[in-house]
Amino acid sequence: MADITDIRTIIYTEKTLGLQEQGVVVIQTSPKVTKNGLKEVLKEYFGVTPLRINSLRMDGKVKRFRGRVGVRDDVKKFYVKLPEGVTLENTEA
């Protein structure tokens, strides 16, 4: 089961701010989180029942720093459609 600590951040970019006007919030989590797990977390901690959840798994990029090779962490992004008039900012967390 997912926990609130598995949610890393809510992503705020130009693209996601445009989606928020349509009621879609983009959440970045650890790769082990499932759609049902995220749905339970949103219900328990934010009191919101999402209408739809789409997920996207992103592998970490290979980056070089001073000749050494490193890999960024893998992440999972969720596009969460919320009911009309509800945002995660105006809910009690």
Side-chain angles (χ1 to χ4, degrees):
M1 179 180 149
D3 192 16
I4 191 73
T5 58
D6 292 328
I7 294 179
R8 293 186 179 169
T9 186
I10 297 175
I11 301 174
Y12 295 104
T13 61
E14 273 187 59
K15 181 180 177 180
T16 61
L17 290 175
L19 289 173
Q20 282 186 1
E21 294 173 0
Q22 301 170 12
V24 177
V25 177
V26 182
I27 300 173
Q28 183 174 334
T29 66
S30 63
K32 67 179 185 176
V33 177
T34 62
K35 288 182 182 182
N36 288 332
L38 182 66
K39 189 175 183 178
E40 291 174 8
V41 169
L42 292 174
K43 282 183 184 178
E44 184 177 341
Y45 290 99
F46 295 104
V48 175
T49 302
L51 300 176
R52 184 181 69 237
I53 298 177
N54 294 334
S55 64
L56 170 72
R57 190 178 64 85
M58 295 177 47
D59 292 330
K61 290 173 94 173
V62 175
K63 302 297 275 186
R64 295 181 187 277
F65 182 71
R66 294 188 178 179
R68 296 181 183 243
V69 177
V71 180
R72 290 185 181 169
D73 291 337
D74 297 341
V75 294
K76 208 170 197 184
K77 288 188 343 185
F78 288 95
Y79 291 81
V80 180
K81 174 76 173 173
L82 299 174
E84 186 147 343
V86 176
T87 62
L88 294 183
E89 288 80 27
N90 66 6
T91 57
E92 295 180 17

XYZ file of all heavy atoms in Angstrom:
740
model
N 0.840 -1.190 0.000
C 0.000 0.000 0.000
C 0.877 1.243 0.000
O 1.930 1.284 0.617
C -0.888 -0.013 1.227
C -1.785 1.200 1.307
S -2.809 1.126 2.752
C -2.969 2.851 3.062
N 0.448 2.248 -0.701
C 1.185 3.506 -0.777
C 0.951 4.327 0.479
O -0.033 4.144 1.205
C 0.740 4.288 -2.000
N 1.870 5.239 0.738
C 1.801 6.118 1.896
C 2.060 7.539 1.417
O 2.576 7.754 0.321
C 2.843 5.680 2.927
C 2.641 6.356 4.265
O 1.552 6.908 4.496
O 3.582 6.340 5.079
N 1.748 8.517 2.245
C 1.953 9.916 1.872
C 3.427 10.206 1.624
O 3.771 11.094 0.841
C 1.363 10.852 2.951
C 1.323 12.315 2.472
C 2.148 10.770 4.233
C 0.293 12.593 1.456
N 4.332 9.435 2.228
C 5.764 9.664 2.027
C 6.224 9.222 0.641
O 7.314 9.602 0.220
C 6.588 8.924 3.091
O 6.280 7.528 3.032
C 6.286 9.455 4.474
N 5.430 8.427 -0.064
C 5.776 7.999 -1.424
C 5.551 9.105 -2.446
O 6.090 9.049 -3.542
C 4.972 6.763 -1.817
C 5.381 5.538 -1.019
O 6.567 5.448 -0.661
O 4.513 4.692 -0.753
N 4.746 10.100 -2.111
C 4.534 11.230 -3.012
C 5.728 12.155 -2.872
O 6.013 12.669 -1.796
C 3.224 11.970 -2.681
C 2.034 11.064 -2.960
C 3.122 13.253 -3.497
C 0.704 11.677 -2.639
N 6.453 12.358 -3.971
C 7.649 13.206 -3.922
C 7.290 14.675 -4.078
O 7.754 15.512 -3.319
C 8.637 12.790 -5.004
C 9.214 11.422 -4.740
C 10.283 11.084 -5.728
N 10.826 9.753 -5.428
C 11.620 9.094 -6.224
N 11.992 9.615 -7.369
N 12.056 7.904 -5.892
N 6.495 15.010 -5.077
C 6.158 16.411 -5.305
C 4.961 16.526 -6.242
O 4.632 15.596 -6.973
C 7.362 17.175 -5.905
O 7.043 18.556 -5.987
C 7.733 16.661 -7.260
N 4.339 17.692 -6.207
C 3.362 18.068 -7.217
C 4.127 18.950 -8.199
O 4.790 19.900 -7.800
C 2.171 18.812 -6.600
C 1.425 17.888 -5.635
C 1.242 19.318 -7.691
C 0.310 18.558 -4.883
N 4.062 18.625 -9.478
C 4.876 19.293 -10.484
C 4.172 20.566 -10.957
O 3.007 20.546 -11.337
C 5.146 18.349 -11.671
C 5.866 17.100 -11.172
C 5.956 19.052 -12.743
C 6.052 16.047 -12.222
N 4.927 21.683 -10.920
C 4.430 22.973 -11.386
C 5.315 23.468 -12.526
O 6.407 23.979 -12.302
C 4.439 24.007 -10.251
C 3.485 23.675 -9.131
C 3.947 23.158 -7.935
C 2.121 23.872 -9.282
C 3.079 22.850 -6.902
C 1.238 23.558 -8.261
C 1.724 23.057 -7.078
O 0.850 22.745 -6.074
N 4.864 23.261 -13.761
C 5.535 23.781 -14.945
C 4.473 24.483 -15.792
O 3.286 24.482 -15.438
C 6.180 22.651 -15.767
O 5.157 21.744 -16.193
C 7.223 21.897 -14.966
N 4.892 25.070 -16.911
C 3.910 25.721 -17.783
C 2.846 24.740 -18.244
O 1.658 25.041 -18.263
C 4.606 26.313 -19.006
C 5.144 27.709 -18.806
C 5.654 28.299 -20.102
O 4.866 28.407 -21.064
O 6.839 28.643 -20.134
N 3.281 23.548 -18.624
C 2.349 22.537 -19.115
C 1.378 22.101 -18.016
O 0.170 22.018 -18.241
C 3.123 21.329 -19.632
C 2.250 20.231 -20.175
C 3.075 19.077 -20.678
C 2.196 17.940 -21.168
N 2.988 16.810 -21.653
N 1.901 21.843 -16.815
C 1.028 21.348 -15.747
C 0.102 22.438 -15.217
O -1.005 22.140 -14.783
C 1.849 20.758 -14.589
O 2.677 21.769 -14.026
C 2.694 19.598 -15.068
N 0.536 23.697 -15.248
C -0.354 24.781 -14.832
C -1.514 24.923 -15.807
O -2.635 25.223 -15.406
C 0.417 26.090 -14.705
C 1.394 26.152 -13.532
C 2.190 27.459 -13.566
C 0.691 25.993 -12.210
N -1.258 24.680 -17.092
C -2.345 24.667 -18.065
C -3.310 23.521 -17.823
O -4.521 23.656 -17.989
N -2.759 22.374 -17.432
C -3.616 21.226 -17.119
C -4.433 21.461 -15.856
O -5.556 20.971 -15.734
C -2.763 19.965 -16.958
C -2.149 19.395 -18.236
C -1.188 18.266 -17.893
C -3.233 18.901 -19.168
N -3.870 22.213 -14.890
C -4.602 22.472 -13.649
C -5.860 23.293 -13.901
O -6.833 23.171 -13.166
C -3.706 23.177 -12.635
C -2.760 22.231 -11.951
C -1.965 22.896 -10.851
O -2.125 24.084 -10.577
N -1.112 22.133 -10.217
N -5.849 24.124 -14.945
C -7.054 24.866 -15.302
C -8.164 23.923 -15.750
O -9.334 24.248 -15.648
C -6.740 25.873 -16.403
C -5.800 26.972 -15.944
C -5.372 27.870 -17.080
O -5.812 27.635 -18.238
O -4.601 28.811 -16.820
N -7.783 22.738 -16.251
C -8.752 21.728 -16.676
C -9.061 20.740 -15.557
O -9.792 19.777 -15.757
C -8.212 20.978 -17.887
C -7.920 21.852 -19.071
C -7.160 21.117 -20.154
O -7.039 19.898 -20.113
N -6.658 21.851 -21.126
N -8.469 20.937 -14.369
C -8.739 20.066 -13.233
C -7.818 18.869 -13.124
O -8.140 17.903 -12.437
N -6.663 18.910 -13.804
C -5.712 17.796 -13.773
C -4.476 18.225 -12.988
O -3.895 19.269 -13.254
C -5.304 17.369 -15.201
C -4.267 16.265 -15.151
C -6.524 16.918 -15.981
N -4.080 17.414 -12.007
C -2.893 17.673 -11.208
C -1.858 16.605 -11.547
O -2.192 15.433 -11.687
C -3.225 17.627 -9.701
C -1.985 17.815 -8.863
C -4.267 18.662 -9.358
N -0.573 17.007 -11.683
C 0.496 16.073 -12.005
C 1.310 15.844 -10.735
O 1.840 16.785 -10.148
C 1.388 16.608 -13.138
C 2.461 15.591 -13.474
C 0.549 16.924 -14.361
N 1.385 14.574 -10.306
C 2.062 14.197 -9.070
C 3.217 13.267 -9.404
O 3.046 12.299 -10.144
C 1.082 13.501 -8.110
C -0.070 14.440 -7.764
C 1.797 13.030 -6.853
C -1.172 13.796 -6.953
N 4.392 13.545 -8.851
C 5.568 12.695 -9.036
C 5.744 11.844 -7.786
O 5.727 12.357 -6.673
C 6.802 13.555 -9.270
C 8.049 12.768 -9.530
C 9.207 13.674 -9.902
O 8.999 14.757 -10.411
N 10.398 13.234 -9.627
N 5.904 10.522 -7.981
C 6.005 9.593 -6.860
C 7.163 8.630 -7.080
O 7.825 8.660 -8.105
C 4.711 8.767 -6.708
O 4.574 7.921 -7.846
C 3.489 9.640 -6.565
N 7.356 7.760 -6.108
C 8.331 6.687 -6.282
C 7.745 5.648 -7.236
O 6.524 5.546 -7.385
C 8.668 6.059 -4.931
O 7.523 5.466 -4.366
N 8.593 4.840 -7.899
C 8.100 3.906 -8.917
C 7.213 2.786 -8.378
O 6.493 2.169 -9.146
C 9.373 3.311 -9.512
C 10.457 4.240 -9.158
C 10.042 4.912 -7.897
N 7.220 2.534 -7.099
C 6.442 1.412 -6.564
C 4.966 1.741 -6.347
O 4.172 0.844 -6.079
C 7.048 0.934 -5.249
C 6.935 1.922 -4.112
C 7.524 1.369 -2.840
C 7.304 2.326 -1.684
N 7.779 1.792 -0.432
N 4.566 3.001 -6.470
C 3.189 3.414 -6.230
C 2.307 2.963 -7.392
O 2.686 3.071 -8.555
C 3.105 4.942 -6.051
C 1.673 5.396 -5.871
C 3.937 5.378 -4.863
N 1.117 2.460 -7.069
C 0.145 2.049 -8.081
C -0.999 3.057 -8.129
O -1.114 3.926 -7.263
C -0.432 0.666 -7.761
O -1.119 0.736 -6.507
C 0.670 -0.383 -7.701
N -1.854 2.925 -9.142
C -2.997 3.824 -9.258
C -3.922 3.690 -8.047
O -4.381 4.686 -7.494
C -3.788 3.522 -10.537
C -3.105 3.932 -11.802
C -3.985 3.635 -12.998
C -3.313 3.991 -14.292
N -4.188 3.758 -15.453
N -4.202 2.436 -7.651
C -5.080 2.224 -6.497
C -4.448 2.738 -5.213
O -5.132 3.279 -4.343
C -5.421 0.742 -6.353
C -6.362 0.268 -7.430
O -7.160 1.048 -7.954
N -6.282 -0.999 -7.774
N -3.133 2.574 -5.080
C -2.441 3.089 -3.899
C -2.510 4.602 -3.824
O -2.751 5.178 -2.755
N -2.315 5.279 -4.959
C -2.402 6.738 -4.982
C -3.828 7.204 -4.694
O -4.032 8.190 -3.979
C -1.936 7.279 -6.334
C -1.939 8.794 -6.455
C -0.909 9.412 -5.517
C -1.694 9.227 -7.875
N -4.796 6.473 -5.199
C -6.200 6.820 -4.954
C -6.519 6.753 -3.465
O -7.181 7.643 -2.920
C -7.099 5.858 -5.740
C -8.549 6.211 -5.752
C -9.311 5.265 -6.659
C -10.757 5.628 -6.761
N -11.479 4.735 -7.669
N -6.007 5.727 -2.783
C -6.213 5.604 -1.335
C -5.545 6.741 -0.576
O -6.107 7.278 0.375
C -5.672 4.266 -0.838
C -6.460 3.071 -1.307
C -5.814 1.756 -0.929
O -4.822 1.774 -0.170
O -6.297 0.720 -1.400
N -4.335 7.135 -0.994
C -3.619 8.239 -0.331
C -4.389 9.541 -0.502
O -4.534 10.314 0.449
C -2.192 8.369 -0.890
C -1.534 9.643 -0.416
C -1.358 7.170 -0.471
N -4.886 9.800 -1.716
C -5.638 11.030 -1.944
C -6.915 11.068 -1.120
O -7.297 12.122 -0.599
C -5.959 11.181 -3.431
C -4.766 11.445 -4.352
C -5.203 11.433 -5.803
C -4.087 12.751 -4.002
N -7.582 9.930 -0.966
C -8.795 9.872 -0.147
C -8.474 10.084 1.327
O -9.152 10.839 2.021
C -9.493 8.521 -0.317
C -10.281 8.377 -1.583
C -10.981 7.043 -1.594
C -11.714 6.816 -2.894
N -12.357 5.496 -2.937
N -7.433 9.416 1.814
C -7.112 9.443 3.238
C -6.550 10.788 3.695
O -6.975 11.337 4.704
C -6.116 8.334 3.563
C -5.788 8.218 5.031
C -4.849 7.065 5.317
O -4.735 6.151 4.472
O -4.218 7.095 6.385
N -5.586 11.335 2.951
C -4.880 12.521 3.413
C -5.466 13.829 2.896
O -5.341 14.857 3.550
C -3.397 12.442 3.032
C -2.658 11.388 3.812
C -2.411 10.136 3.268
C -2.224 11.640 5.102
C -1.733 9.169 3.977
C -1.554 10.682 5.827
C -1.310 9.447 5.265
O -0.655 8.484 5.977
N -6.080 13.813 1.715
C -6.618 15.033 1.143
C -8.139 15.053 1.118
O -8.727 16.097 0.850
C -6.079 15.237 -0.279
C -4.596 15.475 -0.330
C -3.740 14.471 -0.727
C -4.058 16.689 0.030
C -2.371 14.671 -0.779
C -2.696 16.917 -0.015
C -1.849 15.903 -0.416
N -8.788 13.918 1.331
C -10.245 13.862 1.315
C -10.822 14.076 -0.075
O -11.921 14.591 -0.216
N -10.088 13.684 -1.122
C -10.510 13.888 -2.506
C -10.593 12.540 -3.203
O -9.685 11.728 -3.097
C -9.485 14.783 -3.246
C -9.844 14.900 -4.710
C -9.399 16.141 -2.594
N -11.681 12.311 -3.916
C -11.807 11.110 -4.735
C -11.571 11.500 -6.193
O -12.356 12.248 -6.772
C -13.206 10.495 -4.600
O -13.447 10.201 -3.223
C -13.323 9.223 -5.406
N -10.474 11.041 -6.795
C -10.178 11.422 -8.181
C -11.140 10.766 -9.163
O -11.626 9.658 -8.941
C -8.755 10.932 -8.391
C -8.538 9.885 -7.364
C -9.433 10.207 -6.214
N -11.408 11.468 -10.261
C -12.277 10.925 -11.304
C -11.524 9.948 -12.200
O -12.068 8.947 -12.640
C -12.845 12.067 -12.156
C -13.683 13.104 -11.427
C -14.083 14.215 -12.384
C -14.909 12.451 -10.821
N -10.240 10.263 -12.484
C -9.447 9.441 -13.388
C -7.974 9.601 -13.020
O -7.544 10.674 -12.616
C -9.685 9.894 -14.829
C -8.990 9.060 -15.871
C -9.251 9.569 -17.286
N -8.590 10.850 -17.479
C -9.213 11.965 -17.838
N -10.503 11.962 -18.028
N -8.552 13.086 -17.998
N -7.201 8.513 -13.159
C -5.760 8.562 -12.906
C -5.044 7.884 -14.069
O -5.337 6.747 -14.399
C -5.396 7.845 -11.584
C -6.062 8.524 -10.393
C -3.887 7.825 -11.396
C -5.807 7.837 -9.075
N -4.109 8.609 -14.682
C -3.242 8.055 -15.722
C -1.821 8.069 -15.185
O -1.416 9.017 -14.518
C -3.314 8.874 -17.006
C -4.680 8.807 -17.652
O -5.407 7.846 -17.454
N -5.027 9.826 -18.404
N -1.058 7.020 -15.487
C 0.300 6.933 -14.953
C 1.327 6.889 -16.076
O 1.033 6.476 -17.202
C 0.453 5.694 -14.068
O 0.280 4.527 -14.821
N 2.546 7.322 -15.738
C 3.647 7.365 -16.684
C 4.920 7.045 -15.915
O 5.217 7.697 -14.922
C 3.748 8.761 -17.304
C 4.964 9.080 -18.148
C 4.867 8.332 -19.470
C 5.051 10.556 -18.392
N 5.651 6.013 -16.359
C 6.898 5.633 -15.694
C 8.056 6.244 -16.465
O 8.145 6.115 -17.683
C 7.043 4.112 -15.655
C 8.175 3.629 -14.774
C 8.230 2.128 -14.747
N 8.535 1.551 -16.045
C 9.765 1.391 -16.520
N 10.793 1.758 -15.813
N 9.951 0.833 -17.697
N 8.965 6.903 -15.748
C 10.113 7.553 -16.377
C 11.397 6.953 -15.820
O 11.631 6.992 -14.615
C 10.112 9.060 -16.107
C 8.946 9.780 -16.726
S 8.877 11.536 -16.342
C 10.526 12.067 -16.620
N 12.220 6.385 -16.702
C 13.519 5.874 -16.286
C 14.454 7.050 -16.038
O 14.365 8.088 -16.696
C 14.115 4.970 -17.365
C 13.343 3.678 -17.524
O 12.773 3.219 -16.517
O 13.314 3.135 -18.630
N 15.375 6.878 -15.086
C 16.335 7.922 -14.762
C 17.310 8.158 -15.899
O 17.732 7.230 -16.589
N 17.676 9.416 -16.094
C 18.614 9.774 -17.167
C 20.042 9.445 -16.747
O 20.395 9.569 -15.577
C 18.545 11.270 -17.440
C 17.279 11.742 -18.084
C 17.253 13.250 -18.143
C 17.772 13.725 -19.467
N 17.602 15.198 -19.615
N 20.841 9.057 -17.714
C 22.271 8.858 -17.470
C 22.938 10.222 -17.621
O 22.828 10.869 -18.652
C 22.866 7.850 -18.480
C 24.358 7.752 -18.294
C 22.203 6.501 -18.318
N 23.621 10.670 -16.575
C 24.275 11.972 -16.575
C 25.759 11.792 -16.257
O 26.144 10.875 -15.541
C 23.642 12.902 -15.527
C 22.154 13.129 -15.708
C 21.823 13.818 -16.989
C 21.948 15.310 -16.834
N 21.501 16.059 -17.997
N 26.571 12.685 -16.782
C 28.012 12.648 -16.514
C 28.387 13.907 -15.731
O 27.929 14.998 -16.038
C 28.799 12.611 -17.816
C 28.561 11.355 -18.601
C 29.374 11.351 -19.884
N 29.014 10.215 -20.713
C 29.502 9.002 -20.565
N 30.369 8.752 -19.614
N 29.120 8.024 -21.361
N 29.237 13.721 -14.741
C 29.728 14.840 -13.952
C 31.203 14.613 -13.674
O 31.579 13.631 -13.029
C 28.947 14.954 -12.637
C 29.368 16.119 -11.802
C 29.055 17.411 -12.182
C 30.080 15.924 -10.639
C 29.441 18.484 -11.414
C 30.475 16.986 -9.864
C 30.163 18.279 -10.251
N 32.039 15.487 -14.226
C 33.493 15.394 -14.089
C 34.028 14.025 -14.525
O 34.861 13.417 -13.852
C 33.929 15.697 -12.669
C 33.665 17.114 -12.265
C 34.285 17.424 -10.946
N 34.040 18.821 -10.615
C 34.447 19.386 -9.518
N 35.123 18.690 -8.614
N 34.190 20.642 -9.275
N 33.510 13.522 -15.627
C 33.999 12.270 -16.178
C 33.401 11.031 -15.559
O 33.670 9.918 -16.009
N 32.603 11.180 -14.528
C 31.980 10.012 -13.883
C 30.538 9.880 -14.342
O 29.823 10.864 -14.498
C 32.025 10.139 -12.368
C 33.424 10.135 -11.828
C 33.412 10.242 -10.333
N 34.785 10.311 -9.851
C 35.326 9.401 -9.081
N 34.627 8.351 -8.697
N 36.566 9.533 -8.671
N 30.117 8.653 -14.525
C 28.769 8.378 -14.988
C 27.871 8.136 -13.786
O 28.222 7.415 -12.855
C 28.750 7.142 -15.921
C 27.334 6.809 -16.346
C 29.631 7.372 -17.131
N 26.709 8.761 -13.814
C 25.716 8.563 -12.767
C 24.344 8.428 -13.404
O 24.153 8.732 -14.580
N 23.380 7.965 -12.631
C 22.019 7.789 -13.123
C 21.057 8.446 -12.144
O 21.155 8.231 -10.934
C 21.660 6.291 -13.274
C 20.246 6.131 -13.776
C 22.631 5.604 -14.195
N 20.154 9.254 -12.671
C 19.111 9.830 -11.830
C 18.122 8.736 -11.435
O 18.006 7.711 -12.108
C 18.374 10.934 -12.573
C 19.209 12.166 -12.794
C 18.378 13.256 -13.416
N 19.186 14.437 -13.656
C 18.786 15.464 -14.375
N 17.599 15.450 -14.950
N 19.575 16.495 -14.544
N 17.378 8.973 -10.375
C 16.409 7.995 -9.895
C 15.250 7.846 -10.888
O 14.869 8.799 -11.566
C 15.838 8.420 -8.547
C 16.856 8.351 -7.433
O 17.834 7.592 -7.577
O 16.677 9.049 -6.420
N 14.686 6.635 -10.947
C 13.466 6.398 -11.705
C 12.303 7.016 -10.932
O 12.283 7.004 -9.704
C 13.211 4.904 -11.877
C 14.298 4.206 -12.680
O 15.049 4.898 -13.395
O 14.399 2.978 -12.583
N 11.328 7.559 -11.664
C 10.158 8.162 -11.037
C 8.909 7.718 -11.782
O 8.976 7.186 -12.887
C 10.218 9.707 -11.031
C 11.349 10.206 -10.165
C 10.301 10.265 -12.416
N 7.776 7.942 -11.162
C 6.492 7.678 -11.774
C 5.682 8.963 -11.665
O 5.683 9.612 -10.616
C 5.793 6.538 -11.034
C 4.857 5.740 -11.875
C 4.419 4.500 -11.118
C 3.833 3.482 -12.042
N 3.330 2.325 -11.315
N 5.045 9.352 -12.755
C 4.200 10.536 -12.750
C 2.749 10.088 -12.924
O 2.456 9.185 -13.691
C 4.575 11.490 -13.879
C 5.860 12.200 -13.647
C 6.215 13.293 -14.619
C 5.563 13.407 -15.921
N 6.111 14.461 -16.783
N 1.877 10.746 -12.186
C 0.453 10.461 -12.279
C -0.273 11.735 -12.694
O -0.057 12.801 -12.116
C -0.104 9.987 -10.938
C 0.330 8.604 -10.560
C 1.420 8.404 -9.743
C -0.352 7.504 -11.022
C 1.830 7.137 -9.387
C 0.039 6.225 -10.675
C 1.131 6.043 -9.863
N -1.128 11.613 -13.699
C -2.010 12.696 -14.103
C -3.355 12.394 -13.455
O -4.041 11.450 -13.844
C -2.133 12.763 -15.621
C -0.857 13.221 -16.302
C 0.190 12.333 -16.546
C -0.698 14.542 -16.674
C 1.358 12.754 -17.158
C 0.466 14.974 -17.292
C 1.489 14.078 -17.530
O 2.646 14.504 -18.125
N -3.737 13.200 -12.470
C -4.929 12.938 -11.661
C -6.001 13.959 -12.011
O -5.811 15.162 -11.831
C -4.595 13.029 -10.153
C -5.831 12.758 -9.320
C -3.476 12.072 -9.801
N -7.132 13.479 -12.526
C -8.284 14.333 -12.835
C -9.138 14.439 -11.577
O -9.619 13.434 -11.053
C -9.086 13.726 -13.987
C -10.372 14.429 -14.303
C -10.140 15.704 -15.034
C -11.489 16.278 -15.487
N -11.350 17.587 -16.045
N -9.289 15.675 -11.081
C -10.054 15.921 -9.861
C -11.448 16.407 -10.209
O -11.676 16.944 -11.299
C -9.339 16.963 -9.007
C -7.941 16.588 -8.533
C -7.300 17.769 -7.825
C -7.983 15.380 -7.625
N -12.399 16.250 -9.280
C -13.745 16.784 -9.524
C -13.696 18.302 -9.715
O -12.784 18.977 -9.237
C -14.514 16.423 -8.249
C -13.756 15.312 -7.649
C -12.328 15.516 -8.029
N -14.693 18.835 -10.389
C -14.718 20.258 -10.697
C -14.754 21.101 -9.420
O -15.502 20.814 -8.486
C -15.940 20.590 -11.546
C -15.950 22.003 -12.014
C -16.582 22.151 -13.367
O -16.728 21.151 -14.075
O -16.922 23.276 -13.698
N -13.918 22.124 -9.394
C -13.871 23.033 -8.255
C -12.984 22.572 -7.107
O -12.867 23.259 -6.101
N -12.330 21.419 -7.228
C -11.481 20.880 -6.166
C -10.041 20.933 -6.610
O -9.703 20.536 -7.711
C -11.873 19.418 -5.835
C -10.944 18.835 -4.803
C -13.298 19.343 -5.370
N -9.171 21.447 -5.745
C -7.736 21.391 -5.972
C -7.071 20.837 -4.710
O -7.682 20.849 -3.635
C -7.142 22.784 -6.286
O -7.362 23.627 -5.155
C -7.761 23.392 -7.515
N -5.861 20.378 -4.832
C -5.168 19.849 -3.655
C -4.695 20.957 -2.734
O -4.429 20.732 -1.571
C -3.973 18.987 -4.085
C -4.324 17.705 -4.827
C -3.051 16.924 -5.133
C -5.261 16.849 -4.016
N -4.612 22.213 -3.234
C -4.184 23.318 -2.403
C -5.255 23.756 -1.421
O -4.957 24.178 -0.324
C -3.772 24.524 -3.267
C -2.463 24.335 -3.995
C -2.619 23.490 -5.245
O -3.706 23.462 -5.836
O -1.646 22.828 -5.621
N -6.538 23.643 -1.831
C -7.597 24.120 -0.936
C -8.190 23.021 -0.080
O -9.240 23.176 0.502
C -8.700 24.833 -1.738
C -9.462 23.907 -2.662
O -9.259 22.692 -2.655
N -10.340 24.463 -3.464
N -7.508 21.895 0.024
C -7.951 20.828 0.897
C -7.080 20.822 2.144
O -5.973 21.337 2.150
C -7.840 19.445 0.209
O -6.494 19.258 -0.210
C -8.764 19.357 -0.984
N -7.587 20.240 3.203
C -6.821 20.164 4.439
C -5.964 18.915 4.410
O -6.459 17.799 4.295
C -7.759 20.116 5.633
C -8.558 21.391 5.795
C -9.482 21.327 6.980
O -9.272 20.452 7.836
O -10.404 22.129 7.040
N -4.652 19.102 4.507
C -3.720 17.962 4.481
C -3.247 17.632 5.873
O -3.155 18.430 6.744
C -2.545 18.272 3.597
